[in-house]
Amino acid sequence: MDARLREGIALFNQGKFFESHEVLEVFYQETDHGNKAFLEGLIGLAAAYRLFCDFGEIKGPVRLIHQALMRLENYQPAFLQVQVKDLCQNAEAWAKAAEAAGAQPSASNIPKIKLQRFSFFS
């Protein structure tokens, strides 16, 4: 896994969404691999949760999450060691809670980006 992707994920999981967005954006700009849509999805999630945490917005983050989910759709169940399916399910659940009438999502419920664990034993 590229060090920039690992750093962006670590920052995301620490709740440093602006910093995560910045690191992932640099990686996006510098890569010419076929994983740009995947990176756009992660960047979109970071932007969504930053809007929620830093500005208390709901509608914008929910819209960004749905856009990110579309970009991540073809990378499931996992891509570049990221458990994409799990991330998408958790992000969608968070967005649904945010959309529910009178519901106020919590920053503590923001999903983490989990990485695959490899086992050498069956």
Side-chain angles (χ1 to χ4, degrees), residues 94-113:
W94 189 94
K96 284 181 181 178
E99 289 177 313
Q104 180 67 3
S106 168
S108 65
N109 293 340
I110 292 174
K112 304 286 187 204
I113 300 173

Side-chain angles (χ1 to χ4, degrees), residues 77-94:
F79 185 72
L80 297 178
Q81 300 178 2
V82 173
Q83 294 181 6
V84 179
K85 183 177 181 181
D86 185 54
L87 176 61
C88 288
Q89 289 172 341
N90 293 332
E92 185 173 18
W94 189 94

Side-chain angles (χ1 to χ4, degrees), residues 30-102:
E30 294 175 354
T31 190
D32 58 355
H33 299 287
N35 58 6
K36 289 215 176 215
F38 172 75
L39 292 172
E40 288 169 357
L42 295 182
I43 291 166
L45 290 177
Y49 293 124
R50 177 181 184 238
L51 286 175
F52 172 73
C53 290
D54 293 352
F55 303 104
E57 292 185 29
I58 300 286
K59 288 183 181 180
V62 167
R63 183 176 30 80
L64 286 171
I65 288 169
H66 289 301
Q67 291 172 351
L69 292 175
M70 286 189 285
R71 287 181 172 83
L72 294 170
E73 185 174 54
N74 294 326
Y75 296 95
Q76 296 184 38
F79 185 72
L80 297 178
Q81 300 178 2
V82 173
Q83 294 181 6
V84 179
K85 183 177 181 181
D86 185 54
L87 176 61
C88 288
Q89 289 172 341
N90 293 332
E92 185 173 18
W94 189 94
K96 284 181 181 178
E99 289 177 313

